Amino acid sequence: MAKANILIIEDDKEISRLTAMYLEAEDYLTQIIDDGLHAVNAVRQHQPDLIILDLMLPGLDGIEICKQVRTFHTGPILVLTACADDMSEVSLLKLGADDYLTKPVRPHVMVARIEALLRRTQVAQPAKNQLNLGQLHIDTSRQLVSYGEITPQLTAAEYEMLLLLASNAGCIVSRDDCCRSLRGIDYDFNDRSVDMRISGLRKKLNDDTPPYKVILTVRNKGYMLIDG
C-alpha cells in the first residue's frame, strides 16, 4: 500500500522524472503536471496528500497556483525554488506554503521533509472525535473546525497548530513544542515561522486585534488557547 499520493507540479521533465522515480522507490504514488495552467484543476481532480510545487512554471506561476489552490485544498504544499532569494520564508507562509526546498534538491532531504509534513497531517488524534472549548469545536475525525458562526478553512499547518493548542487549552505551549509539531524534532523551525501560523489562525478566527480573546501570547514562553 502506498504511503501517500503526491502531485508534482514541475515543468522540467528531467527533474520531475527523477523526483517521481525516487518517491516511487520510497513507496509513494506520484502524478506529474508540467503546465501551470492545468495545475489547479489537477489538484481538484487528484486530491493529493501532498503537493510539490515549482515556483517557475509556464502558463501560471507557482505563486498564483498556491494562492488559488489554498482556497479549497488544505494538504501540505512543498515549494521548490531556484534560489533562496526568490521569496522570503515569510512570503511563502503568507501564500499558504508549508515548507520549501532550494534546487538542486537532495533526494534524502526531500523525503525527510515530506515525511515530516505528512506526519503533521496524520498525527494521532485524541480519543474523542469532538473537541469542544467554548465557541471552538474541532471534529478530529474529519479535521473540521468551527468557531461560533465561523467555519475557517485552515491549512494543514494551521490545523495542527490549533489542535496542539486546543489539546493543551489553558496551559502554555512553548515555542519548542510548536516547532516540533510543525516540522518534527529533527528540524529547526524558527520563531518567525511559528508566529506566522499563529497570526494566520487569529485572522481566520476573527481574533487578530489585541487584546486577543482566543490565542494568547505569553511573553518569552509561548502561546495559550483560552479554555472556554
Side-chain angles (χ1 to χ4, degrees):
M1 183 176 178
K3 293 180 181 178
N5 181 18
I6 297 177
L7 180 64
I8 302 167
I9 305 175
E10 166 66 71
D11 67 316
D12 187 310
K13 288 183 169 51
E14 185 63 11
I15 290 176
S16 60
R17 183 186 70 83
L18 291 174
T19 300
M21 183 176 67
Y22 195 90
L23 291 175
E24 287 167 5
E26 295 288 328
D27 294 326
Y28 291 101
L29 287 177
T30 65
Q31 287 93 29
I32 296 172
I33 297 295
D34 61 5
D35 190 327
L37 290 175
H38 304 303
V40 176
N41 285 335
V43 175
R44 285 196 176 96
Q45 178 183 350
H46 295 293
Q47 298 184 354
D49 298 303
L50 182 141
I51 298 168
I52 297 177
L53 175 63
D54 184 30
L55 283 184
M56 302 300 294
L57 292 163
L60 195 66
D61 64 30
I63 295 173
E64 187 58 34
I65 292 169
C66 198
K67 288 180 182 178
Q68 292 188 26
V69 164
R70 272 300 177 228
T71 63
F72 64 89
H73 181 75
T74 60
I77 298 177
L78 176 62
V79 166
L80 303 183
T81 69
C83 86
D85 294 333
D86 280 351
M87 295 191 71
S88 70
E89 183 177 15
V90 170
S91 297
L92 288 169
L93 296 179
K94 285 182 177 179
L95 287 174
D98 294 275
D99 201 353
Y100 72 95
L101 288 172
T102 303
K103 295 179 180 180
V105 175
R106 290 174 293 173
H108 67 284
V109 173
M110 176 183 65
V111 169
R113 296 287 183 86
I114 288 172
E115 289 177 347
L117 289 170
L118 291 173
R119 273 200 307 272
R120 193 177 64 216
T121 58
Q122 298 166 357
V123 68
Q125 303 292 342
K128 295 181 180 179
N129 290 336
Q130 298 288 334
L131 190 55
N132 301 311
L133 299 160
Q135 297 186 72
L136 179 65
H137 304 283
I138 304 176
D139 183 337
T140 58
S141 63
R142 296 184 294 166
Q143 296 191 0
L144 297 177
V145 174
S146 65
Y147 181 72
E149 300 298 320
I150 305 169
T151 54
Q153 298 299 309
L154 305 182
T155 66
E158 289 168 346
Y159 172 81
E160 199 54 44
M161 178 71 80
L162 181 62
L163 183 60
L164 174 66
L165 294 172
S167 299
N168 295 276
C171 300
I172 298 171
V173 179
S174 71
R175 289 179 178 276
D176 286 344
D177 286 339
C178 291
C179 291
R180 282 193 289 270
S181 174
L182 285 173
R183 190 180 282 185
I185 196 169
D186 297 332
Y187 297 101
D188 177 20
F189 212 63
N190 63 42
D191 287 351
R192 183 177 60 178
S193 303
V194 172
D195 291 341
M196 286 298 300
R197 261 67 182 209
I198 294 293
S199 177
L201 274 174
R202 284 173 170 159
K203 184 175 181 180
K204 291 179 181 180
L205 296 174
N206 281 349
D207 188 43
D208 54 344
T209 302
Y212 303 118
K213 300 179 180 64
V214 184
I215 302 173
L216 301 183
T217 299
V218 183
R219 188 175 178 84
N220 298 325
K221 291 185 178 179
Y223 297 98
M224 181 173 67
L225 188 139
I226 299 300
D227 185 1

